[in-house]
Amino acid sequence: MLIDGHGRTVNYLRISLTERCNFRCQYCMPEKPFSWVPKENLLSFEELFLFVKVGIDEGITKIRLTGGEPLLREGLDGFIKMIHDYKPDIDLALTTNAFLLSSVAQKLKDAGLKRLNISLDSLKPDVVAKIAGKDVLAPVLKGIDKALEVGLGVKINMVPLKGINDNEIVDVMEYCMERKIKIRFIEYMENRHANESLRGMHGREILEKVKEKYTIHALGREGASPSFNYSIEENGYEFGLIDPHKHDFCENCNRIRLTAEGHLIPCLYFDEAMSIAKSVKEGDIEGASQVLAQVLRDKPKENRWTEDDPSKEKEISSRAFYETGG
Ligand code: SAM
Ligand code: SF4
């Protein structure tokens, strides 16, 4: 079992397979970074798999593949199969913008993928184009339909932004209701890479929008999930709110993150990381395991998106979400 320096059990590994993306979301990567990580610096699937095995052997039970856009990485189904064959009961999930999903959903399912989180911020083509930087709604919706058709578990992520998609909170939720899939509203997390003019919505403002139409009941957090769940009285539908600005958000944090270059990151907010690249390139299992142990010891108690001390100037994280995988 993996325990961090604050006594929390860590069983969830998120792997960013590439920082590259075919979208330019305003809250993540409004412009292409000055330079991409050179392709030769990316860990190969074999190298990533060596670390995955170390993690699984030591207590990881859930793996999420993310990015950037993970569907841009060639041979993804082969990597999914490697992990699945090593531990078939692993909870293996992927987060994607779904642009390329419709043609690969079946292949990913056959390889062993169980679940998908898909980003959907609006149902209006022009609003999606404004947020994502290009006109992508139709292929995204096609991707969602295909994922459901092939039997993959689907959850939708929506980041509500003031003056952009805040009037669509109920509409996107009802789209999910009709398809019996869960939506999680994610509070916009301020970071230095995002478009400066963006204003996110606080969790309570998001809930107010839902309450204009429905009566809601708080259900609470589901284990170590970052999502605080609510149910709708009128029809029993359940949705989630990911609220990293709330002070108890980090109490049960169970995750670590690995970037495509091999940086092992203990917390989404902070820049601190240690590299496993040398170890996995040399096939050094013991070395990779030692880095993992050190990163767990160093895992911070909490992020700094909390707003407990209003006298403090608001901190802005310099972490790039497209690099760490959100
Ligand atoms: N490209 C994939 C996608 O968009 O789903 C996977 C990577 S993306 C970085 C993972 C998640 O992070 C997405 O649901 C996205 O909405 C979310 N995200 C990115 N930047 C964010 C920010 N500044 N605040 C809150 N969520 C953010
Ligand atoms: Fe790409 Fe996902 Fe970031 Fe949007 S949120 S720019 S789709 S990585």
PDB file of all heavy atoms in Angstrom, residues 14 21 25 27-28 66-70 95-97 117-119 121 157-159 186-191 194 321-322 325-326, ligand 1:
ATOM      1  N   ARG A  14      -2.404   9.138 -12.428  1.00  0.00           N
ATOM      2  CA  ARG A  14      -2.871   9.786 -13.654  1.00  0.00           C
ATOM      3  C   ARG A  14      -1.658  10.000 -14.551  1.00  0.00           C
ATOM      4  O   ARG A  14      -0.658  10.565 -14.109  1.00  0.00           O
ATOM      5  CB  ARG A  14      -3.528  11.133 -13.346  1.00  0.00           C
ATOM      6  CG  ARG A  14      -4.770  10.995 -12.483  1.00  0.00           C
ATOM      7  CD  ARG A  14      -5.305  12.339 -12.095  1.00  0.00           C
ATOM      8  NE  ARG A  14      -5.703  13.153 -13.225  1.00  0.00           N
ATOM      9  CZ  ARG A  14      -6.961  13.395 -13.580  1.00  0.00           C
ATOM     10  NH1 ARG A  14      -7.955  12.885 -12.887  1.00  0.00           N
ATOM     11  NH2 ARG A  14      -7.241  14.150 -14.610  1.00  0.00           N
ATOM     12  N   CYS A  21      -2.091  19.145 -28.019  1.00  0.00           N
ATOM     13  CA  CYS A  21      -3.546  19.079 -28.086  1.00  0.00           C
ATOM     14  C   CYS A  21      -4.038  19.669 -29.389  1.00  0.00           C
ATOM     15  O   CYS A  21      -3.425  20.578 -29.939  1.00  0.00           O
ATOM     16  CB  CYS A  21      -4.167  19.812 -26.900  1.00  0.00           C
ATOM     17  SG  CYS A  21      -5.940  19.493 -26.794  1.00  0.00           S
ATOM     18  N   CYS A  25      -8.183  25.318 -25.584  1.00  0.00           N
ATOM     19  CA  CYS A  25      -9.180  25.779 -24.612  1.00  0.00           C
ATOM     20  C   CYS A  25      -8.657  26.990 -23.842  1.00  0.00           C
ATOM     21  O   CYS A  25      -7.503  27.018 -23.397  1.00  0.00           O
ATOM     22  CB  CYS A  25      -9.548  24.659 -23.656  1.00  0.00           C
ATOM     23  SG  CYS A  25     -10.295  23.265 -24.517  1.00  0.00           S
ATOM     24  N   TYR A  27      -9.144  28.042 -20.920  1.00  0.00           N
ATOM     25  CA  TYR A  27      -8.742  27.849 -19.523  1.00  0.00           C
ATOM     26  C   TYR A  27      -7.506  26.960 -19.383  1.00  0.00           C
ATOM     27  O   TYR A  27      -7.040  26.726 -18.276  1.00  0.00           O
ATOM     28  CB  TYR A  27      -9.897  27.262 -18.695  1.00  0.00           C
ATOM     29  CG  TYR A  27     -10.629  26.103 -19.337  1.00  0.00           C
ATOM     30  CD1 TYR A  27     -10.019  24.875 -19.507  1.00  0.00           C
ATOM     31  CD2 TYR A  27     -11.943  26.252 -19.765  1.00  0.00           C
ATOM     32  CE1 TYR A  27     -10.688  23.824 -20.101  1.00  0.00           C
ATOM     33  CE2 TYR A  27     -12.626  25.200 -20.345  1.00  0.00           C
ATOM     34  CZ  TYR A  27     -11.998  23.983 -20.519  1.00  0.00           C
ATOM     35  OH  TYR A  27     -12.655  22.942 -21.108  1.00  0.00           O
ATOM     36  N   CYS A  28      -7.029  26.439 -20.497  1.00  0.00           N
ATOM     37  CA  CYS A  28      -5.940  25.446 -20.424  1.00  0.00           C
ATOM     38  C   CYS A  28      -4.743  25.854 -21.286  1.00  0.00           C
ATOM     39  O   CYS A  28      -3.645  26.040 -20.798  1.00  0.00           O
ATOM     40  CB  CYS A  28      -6.498  24.101 -20.876  1.00  0.00           C
ATOM     41  SG  CYS A  28      -5.316  22.758 -20.849  1.00  0.00           S
ATOM     42  N   THR A  66      -4.417  10.702 -19.674  1.00  0.00           N
ATOM     43  CA  THR A  66      -4.922  12.025 -19.985  1.00  0.00           C
ATOM     44  C   THR A  66      -3.863  12.789 -20.776  1.00  0.00           C
ATOM     45  O   THR A  66      -2.967  12.196 -21.366  1.00  0.00           O
ATOM     46  CB  THR A  66      -5.377  12.727 -18.657  1.00  0.00           C
ATOM     47  OG1 THR A  66      -5.756  14.058 -18.941  1.00  0.00           O
ATOM     48  CG2 THR A  66      -4.327  12.715 -17.572  1.00  0.00           C
ATOM     49  N   GLY A  67      -3.928  14.103 -20.820  1.00  0.00           N
ATOM     50  CA  GLY A  67      -2.948  14.877 -21.557  1.00  0.00           C
ATOM     51  C   GLY A  67      -3.094  16.347 -21.185  1.00  0.00           C
ATOM     52  O   GLY A  67      -3.606  16.654 -20.122  1.00  0.00           O
ATOM     53  N   GLY A  68      -2.801  17.168 -22.086  1.00  0.00           N
ATOM     54  CA  GLY A  68      -2.964  17.250 -23.532  1.00  0.00           C
ATOM     55  C   GLY A  68      -4.089  16.324 -23.984  1.00  0.00           C
ATOM     56  O   GLY A  68      -4.945  15.948 -23.216  1.00  0.00           O
ATOM     57  N   GLU A  69      -4.052  16.018 -25.255  1.00  0.00           N
ATOM     58  CA  GLU A  69      -5.110  15.153 -25.759  1.00  0.00           C
ATOM     59  C   GLU A  69      -4.546  13.738 -25.977  1.00  0.00           C
ATOM     60  O   GLU A  69      -3.774  13.506 -26.910  1.00  0.00           O
ATOM     61  CB  GLU A  69      -5.689  15.741 -27.060  1.00  0.00           C
ATOM     62  CG  GLU A  69      -6.749  14.883 -27.696  1.00  0.00           C
ATOM     63  CD  GLU A  69      -7.783  14.324 -26.709  1.00  0.00           C
ATOM     64  OE1 GLU A  69      -8.248  15.034 -25.818  1.00  0.00           O
ATOM     65  OE2 GLU A  69      -8.097  13.123 -26.836  1.00  0.00           O
ATOM     66  N   PRO A  70      -4.916  12.789 -25.135  1.00  0.00           N
ATOM     67  CA  PRO A  70      -4.306  11.458 -25.197  1.00  0.00           C
ATOM     68  C   PRO A  70      -4.593  10.712 -26.499  1.00  0.00           C
ATOM     69  O   PRO A  70      -3.790   9.863 -26.907  1.00  0.00           O
ATOM     70  CB  PRO A  70      -4.908  10.722 -23.997  1.00  0.00           C
ATOM     71  CG  PRO A  70      -6.144  11.474 -23.647  1.00  0.00           C
ATOM     72  CD  PRO A  70      -5.890  12.892 -24.031  1.00  0.00           C
ATOM     73  N   THR A  95      -9.280  10.462 -20.054  1.00  0.00           N
ATOM     74  CA  THR A  95      -9.954  11.759 -20.180  1.00  0.00           C
ATOM     75  C   THR A  95      -9.625  12.323 -21.555  1.00  0.00           C
ATOM     76  O   THR A  95      -8.452  12.376 -21.936  1.00  0.00           O
ATOM     77  CB  THR A  95      -9.477  12.743 -19.093  1.00  0.00           C
ATOM     78  OG1 THR A  95      -9.742  12.174 -17.819  1.00  0.00           O
ATOM     79  CG2 THR A  95     -10.229  14.059 -19.174  1.00  0.00           C
ATOM     80  N   THR A  96     -10.658  12.713 -22.291  1.00  0.00           N
ATOM     81  CA  THR A  96     -10.443  13.154 -23.669  1.00  0.00           C
ATOM     82  C   THR A  96     -11.388  14.285 -24.045  1.00  0.00           C
ATOM     83  O   THR A  96     -12.462  14.421 -23.456  1.00  0.00           O
ATOM     84  CB  THR A  96     -10.660  11.969 -24.650  1.00  0.00           C
ATOM     85  OG1 THR A  96     -10.583  12.454 -25.991  1.00  0.00           O
ATOM     86  CG2 THR A  96     -12.004  11.284 -24.459  1.00  0.00           C
ATOM     87  N   ASN A  97     -10.991  15.046 -25.071  1.00  0.00           N
ATOM     88  CA  ASN A  97     -11.913  16.056 -25.599  1.00  0.00           C
ATOM     89  C   ASN A  97     -12.868  15.440 -26.620  1.00  0.00           C
ATOM     90  O   ASN A  97     -13.748  16.121 -27.135  1.00  0.00           O
ATOM     91  CB  ASN A  97     -11.147  17.240 -26.199  1.00  0.00           C
ATOM     92  CG  ASN A  97     -10.247  16.864 -27.372  1.00  0.00           C
ATOM     93  OD1 ASN A  97     -10.529  15.933 -28.117  1.00  0.00           O
ATOM     94  ND2 ASN A  97      -9.159  17.604 -27.557  1.00  0.00           N
ATOM     95  N   ASN A 117     -13.852  10.103 -19.293  1.00  0.00           N
ATOM     96  CA  ASN A 117     -14.368  11.420 -18.918  1.00  0.00           C
ATOM     97  C   ASN A 117     -14.204  12.300 -20.146  1.00  0.00           C
ATOM     98  O   ASN A 117     -13.113  12.360 -20.723  1.00  0.00           O
ATOM     99  CB  ASN A 117     -13.584  12.037 -17.758  1.00  0.00           C
ATOM    100  CG  ASN A 117     -13.931  11.378 -16.438  1.00  0.00           C
ATOM    101  OD1 ASN A 117     -14.760  10.464 -16.390  1.00  0.00           O
ATOM    102  ND2 ASN A 117     -13.302  11.818 -15.376  1.00  0.00           N
ATOM    103  N   ILE A 118     -15.275  12.947 -20.533  1.00  0.00           N
ATOM    104  CA  ILE A 118     -15.240  13.754 -21.755  1.00  0.00           C
ATOM    105  C   ILE A 118     -15.585  15.201 -21.411  1.00  0.00           C
ATOM    106  O   ILE A 118     -16.544  15.463 -20.685  1.00  0.00           O
ATOM    107  CB  ILE A 118     -16.235  13.189 -22.794  1.00  0.00           C
ATOM    108  CG1 ILE A 118     -15.830  11.743 -23.171  1.00  0.00           C
ATOM    109  CG2 ILE A 118     -16.307  14.082 -24.026  1.00  0.00           C
ATOM    110  CD1 ILE A 118     -16.809  11.022 -24.083  1.00  0.00           C
ATOM    111  N   SER A 119     -14.792  16.113 -21.955  1.00  0.00           N
ATOM    112  CA  SER A 119     -15.031  17.529 -21.692  1.00  0.00           C
ATOM    113  C   SER A 119     -16.102  18.054 -22.644  1.00  0.00           C
ATOM    114  O   SER A 119     -15.997  17.882 -23.861  1.00  0.00           O
ATOM    115  CB  SER A 119     -13.743  18.325 -21.908  1.00  0.00           C
ATOM    116  OG  SER A 119     -12.736  17.805 -21.081  1.00  0.00           O
ATOM    117  N   ASP A 121     -18.262  21.672 -22.696  1.00  0.00           N
ATOM    118  CA  ASP A 121     -18.515  22.924 -21.983  1.00  0.00           C
ATOM    119  C   ASP A 121     -19.751  23.663 -22.468  1.00  0.00           C
ATOM    120  O   ASP A 121     -20.172  24.635 -21.843  1.00  0.00           O
ATOM    121  CB  ASP A 121     -17.296  23.859 -22.117  1.00  0.00           C
ATOM    122  CG  ASP A 121     -16.086  23.302 -21.367  1.00  0.00           C
ATOM    123  OD1 ASP A 121     -16.281  22.796 -20.254  1.00  0.00           O
ATOM    124  OD2 ASP A 121     -14.973  23.368 -21.908  1.00  0.00           O
ATOM    125  N   ASN A 157     -17.320  16.327 -18.168  1.00  0.00           N
ATOM    126  CA  ASN A 157     -16.733  17.424 -17.388  1.00  0.00           C
ATOM    127  C   ASN A 157     -17.118  18.745 -18.035  1.00  0.00           C
ATOM    128  O   ASN A 157     -16.953  18.914 -19.250  1.00  0.00           O
ATOM    129  CB  ASN A 157     -15.199  17.361 -17.417  1.00  0.00           C
ATOM    130  CG  ASN A 157     -14.639  16.209 -16.594  1.00  0.00           C
ATOM    131  OD1 ASN A 157     -15.285  15.688 -15.691  1.00  0.00           O
ATOM    132  ND2 ASN A 157     -13.416  15.804 -16.923  1.00  0.00           N
ATOM    133  N   MET A 158     -17.603  19.676 -17.230  1.00  0.00           N
ATOM    134  CA  MET A 158     -17.904  21.024 -17.751  1.00  0.00           C
ATOM    135  C   MET A 158     -17.255  22.059 -16.836  1.00  0.00           C
ATOM    136  O   MET A 158     -17.399  21.976 -15.618  1.00  0.00           O
ATOM    137  CB  MET A 158     -19.416  21.253 -17.783  1.00  0.00           C
ATOM    138  CG  MET A 158     -19.803  22.673 -18.182  1.00  0.00           C
ATOM    139  SD  MET A 158     -21.617  22.903 -18.194  1.00  0.00           S
ATOM    140  CE  MET A 158     -21.734  24.583 -18.817  1.00  0.00           C
ATOM    141  N   VAL A 159     -16.552  23.018 -17.438  1.00  0.00           N
ATOM    142  CA  VAL A 159     -15.953  24.113 -16.658  1.00  0.00           C
ATOM    143  C   VAL A 159     -16.795  25.376 -16.908  1.00  0.00           C
ATOM    144  O   VAL A 159     -16.682  25.993 -17.979  1.00  0.00           O
ATOM    145  CB  VAL A 159     -14.483  24.363 -17.081  1.00  0.00           C
ATOM    146  CG1 VAL A 159     -13.871  25.498 -16.254  1.00  0.00           C
ATOM    147  CG2 VAL A 159     -13.639  23.098 -16.936  1.00  0.00           C
ATOM    148  N   ILE A 186     -16.686  21.491 -13.004  1.00  0.00           N
ATOM    149  CA  ILE A 186     -15.359  21.738 -12.426  1.00  0.00           C
ATOM    150  C   ILE A 186     -15.171  23.239 -12.248  1.00  0.00           C
ATOM    151  O   ILE A 186     -15.326  24.010 -13.217  1.00  0.00           O
ATOM    152  CB  ILE A 186     -14.239  21.207 -13.345  1.00  0.00           C
ATOM    153  CG1 ILE A 186     -14.481  19.738 -13.731  1.00  0.00           C
ATOM    154  CG2 ILE A 186     -12.877  21.357 -12.685  1.00  0.00           C
ATOM    155  CD1 ILE A 186     -13.400  19.154 -14.628  1.00  0.00           C
ATOM    156  N   GLU A 187     -14.867  23.655 -11.024  1.00  0.00           N
ATOM    157  CA  GLU A 187     -14.542  25.070 -10.822  1.00  0.00           C
ATOM    158  C   GLU A 187     -13.301  25.400 -11.647  1.00  0.00           C
ATOM    159  O   GLU A 187     -12.322  24.622 -11.625  1.00  0.00           O
ATOM    160  CB  GLU A 187     -14.204  25.342  -9.352  1.00  0.00           C
ATOM    161  CG  GLU A 187     -15.406  25.446  -8.456  1.00  0.00           C
ATOM    162  CD  GLU A 187     -14.991  25.705  -6.997  1.00  0.00           C
ATOM    163  OE1 GLU A 187     -13.803  25.556  -6.662  1.00  0.00           O
ATOM    164  OE2 GLU A 187     -15.861  26.036  -6.210  1.00  0.00           O
ATOM    165  N   TYR A 188     -13.343  26.510 -12.325  1.00  0.00           N
ATOM    166  CA  TYR A 188     -12.164  26.967 -13.067  1.00  0.00           C
ATOM    167  C   TYR A 188     -11.002  27.162 -12.091  1.00  0.00           C
ATOM    168  O   TYR A 188     -11.158  27.825 -11.077  1.00  0.00           O
ATOM    169  CB  TYR A 188     -12.501  28.287 -13.782  1.00  0.00           C
ATOM    170  CG  TYR A 188     -11.294  29.017 -14.296  1.00  0.00           C
ATOM    171  CD1 TYR A 188     -10.445  28.417 -15.215  1.00  0.00           C
ATOM    172  CD2 TYR A 188     -10.993  30.304 -13.855  1.00  0.00           C
ATOM    173  CE1 TYR A 188      -9.319  29.088 -15.667  1.00  0.00           C
ATOM    174  CE2 TYR A 188      -9.874  30.975 -14.308  1.00  0.00           C
ATOM    175  CZ  TYR A 188      -9.048  30.356 -15.217  1.00  0.00           C
ATOM    176  OH  TYR A 188      -7.930  31.007 -15.670  1.00  0.00           O
ATOM    177  N   MET A 189      -9.865  26.538 -12.415  1.00  0.00           N
ATOM    178  CA  MET A 189      -8.683  26.697 -11.559  1.00  0.00           C
ATOM    179  C   MET A 189      -7.740  27.698 -12.225  1.00  0.00           C
ATOM    180  O   MET A 189      -7.255  27.463 -13.343  1.00  0.00           O
ATOM    181  CB  MET A 189      -7.994  25.341 -11.369  1.00  0.00           C
ATOM    182  CG  MET A 189      -8.786  24.414 -10.449  1.00  0.00           C
ATOM    183  SD  MET A 189      -8.133  22.738 -10.447  1.00  0.00           S
ATOM    184  CE  MET A 189      -9.393  21.876 -11.379  1.00  0.00           C
ATOM    185  N   GLU A 190      -7.513  28.787 -11.525  1.00  0.00           N
ATOM    186  CA  GLU A 190      -6.665  29.847 -12.079  1.00  0.00           C
ATOM    187  C   GLU A 190      -5.258  29.303 -12.308  1.00  0.00           C
ATOM    188  O   GLU A 190      -4.724  28.596 -11.458  1.00  0.00           O
ATOM    189  CB  GLU A 190      -6.586  31.026 -11.107  1.00  0.00           C
ATOM    190  CG  GLU A 190      -7.924  31.689 -10.788  1.00  0.00           C
ATOM    191  CD  GLU A 190      -8.768  30.922  -9.781  1.00  0.00           C
ATOM    192  OE1 GLU A 190      -8.270  29.938  -9.204  1.00  0.00           O
ATOM    193  OE2 GLU A 190      -9.935  31.289  -9.597  1.00  0.00           O
ATOM    194  N   ASN A 191      -4.696  29.625 -13.437  1.00  0.00           N
ATOM    195  CA  ASN A 191      -3.306  29.217 -13.692  1.00  0.00           C
ATOM    196  C   ASN A 191      -2.711  30.183 -14.704  1.00  0.00           C
ATOM    197  O   ASN A 191      -3.430  30.847 -15.441  1.00  0.00           O
ATOM    198  CB  ASN A 191      -3.250  27.765 -14.194  1.00  0.00           C
ATOM    199  CG  ASN A 191      -3.869  27.599 -15.566  1.00  0.00           C
ATOM    200  OD1 ASN A 191      -3.199  27.751 -16.578  1.00  0.00           O
ATOM    201  ND2 ASN A 191      -5.164  27.316 -15.625  1.00  0.00           N
ATOM    202  N   ALA A 194      -3.651  30.145 -18.647  1.00  0.00           N
ATOM    203  CA  ALA A 194      -5.004  30.393 -19.151  1.00  0.00           C
ATOM    204  C   ALA A 194      -5.149  31.829 -19.651  1.00  0.00           C
ATOM    205  O   ALA A 194      -4.330  32.694 -19.339  1.00  0.00           O
ATOM    206  CB  ALA A 194      -6.002  30.133 -18.031  1.00  0.00           C
ATOM    207  N   PHE A 321      -2.041  22.843 -17.149  1.00  0.00           N
ATOM    208  CA  PHE A 321      -2.956  21.698 -17.087  1.00  0.00           C
ATOM    209  C   PHE A 321      -2.740  20.742 -18.252  1.00  0.00           C
ATOM    210  O   PHE A 321      -2.926  19.549 -18.122  1.00  0.00           O
ATOM    211  CB  PHE A 321      -4.419  22.191 -17.068  1.00  0.00           C
ATOM    212  CG  PHE A 321      -4.862  22.613 -15.707  1.00  0.00           C
ATOM    213  CD1 PHE A 321      -4.207  23.616 -15.027  1.00  0.00           C
ATOM    214  CD2 PHE A 321      -5.920  21.991 -15.080  1.00  0.00           C
ATOM    215  CE1 PHE A 321      -4.591  23.996 -13.762  1.00  0.00           C
ATOM    216  CE2 PHE A 321      -6.327  22.368 -13.815  1.00  0.00           C
ATOM    217  CZ  PHE A 321      -5.653  23.376 -13.150  1.00  0.00           C
ATOM    218  N   TYR A 322      -2.346  21.303 -19.408  1.00  0.00           N
ATOM    219  CA  TYR A 322      -2.149  20.430 -20.563  1.00  0.00           C
ATOM    220  C   TYR A 322      -0.926  19.531 -20.372  1.00  0.00           C
ATOM    221  O   TYR A 322      -0.785  18.515 -21.019  1.00  0.00           O
ATOM    222  CB  TYR A 322      -2.036  21.237 -21.867  1.00  0.00           C
ATOM    223  CG  TYR A 322      -0.958  22.302 -21.852  1.00  0.00           C
ATOM    224  CD1 TYR A 322       0.355  21.990 -22.120  1.00  0.00           C
ATOM    225  CD2 TYR A 322      -1.263  23.622 -21.554  1.00  0.00           C
ATOM    226  CE1 TYR A 322       1.347  22.963 -22.098  1.00  0.00           C
ATOM    227  CE2 TYR A 322      -0.291  24.608 -21.520  1.00  0.00           C
ATOM    228  CZ  TYR A 322       1.006  24.265 -21.785  1.00  0.00           C
ATOM    229  OH  TYR A 322       1.985  25.233 -21.752  1.00  0.00           O
ATOM    230  N   GLY A 325      -2.229  17.125 -17.105  1.00  0.00           N
ATOM    231  CA  GLY A 325      -3.417  16.307 -17.334  1.00  0.00           C
ATOM    232  C   GLY A 325      -4.627  16.707 -16.516  1.00  0.00           C
ATOM    233  O   GLY A 325      -5.591  15.960 -16.431  1.00  0.00           O
ATOM    234  N   GLY A 326      -4.624  17.876 -15.933  1.00  0.00           N
ATOM    235  CA  GLY A 326      -5.818  18.358 -15.226  1.00  0.00           C
ATOM    236  C   GLY A 326      -6.139  17.558 -13.983  1.00  0.00           C
ATOM    237  O   GLY A 326      -5.427  16.651 -13.626  1.00  0.00           O
TER     238      GLY A 326
HETATM  239  N1  SAM B   1      -7.736  16.995 -23.428  1.00  0.00           N
HETATM  240  C1  SAM B   1      -8.511  16.223 -22.507  1.00  0.00           C
HETATM  241  C2  SAM B   1      -9.768  16.935 -22.108  1.00  0.00           C
HETATM  242  O1  SAM B   1      -9.868  18.130 -22.360  1.00  0.00           O
HETATM  243  O2  SAM B   1     -10.638  16.306 -21.552  1.00  0.00           O
HETATM  244  C3  SAM B   1      -7.741  15.791 -21.302  1.00  0.00           C
HETATM  245  C4  SAM B   1      -6.824  16.799 -20.638  1.00  0.00           C
HETATM  246  S1  SAM B   1      -7.640  18.179 -19.872  1.00  0.00           S
HETATM  247  C5  SAM B   1      -6.250  19.054 -19.236  1.00  0.00           C
HETATM  248  C6  SAM B   1      -8.375  17.410 -18.461  1.00  0.00           C
HETATM  249  C7  SAM B   1      -9.482  18.191 -17.815  1.00  0.00           C
HETATM  250  O3  SAM B   1      -8.924  19.350 -17.230  1.00  0.00           O
HETATM  251  C8  SAM B   1     -10.599  18.644 -18.731  1.00  0.00           C
HETATM  252  O4  SAM B   1     -11.844  18.194 -18.223  1.00  0.00           O
HETATM  253  C9  SAM B   1     -10.534  20.146 -18.657  1.00  0.00           C
HETATM  254  O5  SAM B   1     -11.811  20.723 -18.742  1.00  0.00           O
HETATM  255  C10 SAM B   1      -9.892  20.371 -17.322  1.00  0.00           C
HETATM  256  N2  SAM B   1      -9.217  21.649 -17.183  1.00  0.00           N
HETATM  257  C11 SAM B   1      -8.218  22.150 -17.951  1.00  0.00           C
HETATM  258  N3  SAM B   1      -7.841  23.375 -17.521  1.00  0.00           N
HETATM  259  C12 SAM B   1      -8.632  23.653 -16.450  1.00  0.00           C
HETATM  260  C13 SAM B   1      -8.731  24.767 -15.554  1.00  0.00           C
HETATM  261  N4  SAM B   1      -7.958  25.829 -15.673  1.00  0.00           N
HETATM  262  N5  SAM B   1      -9.640  24.702 -14.568  1.00  0.00           N
HETATM  263  C14 SAM B   1     -10.441  23.625 -14.427  1.00  0.00           C
HETATM  264  N6  SAM B   1     -10.387  22.546 -15.230  1.00  0.00           N
HETATM  265  C15 SAM B   1      -9.508  22.566 -16.238  1.00  0.00           C
END
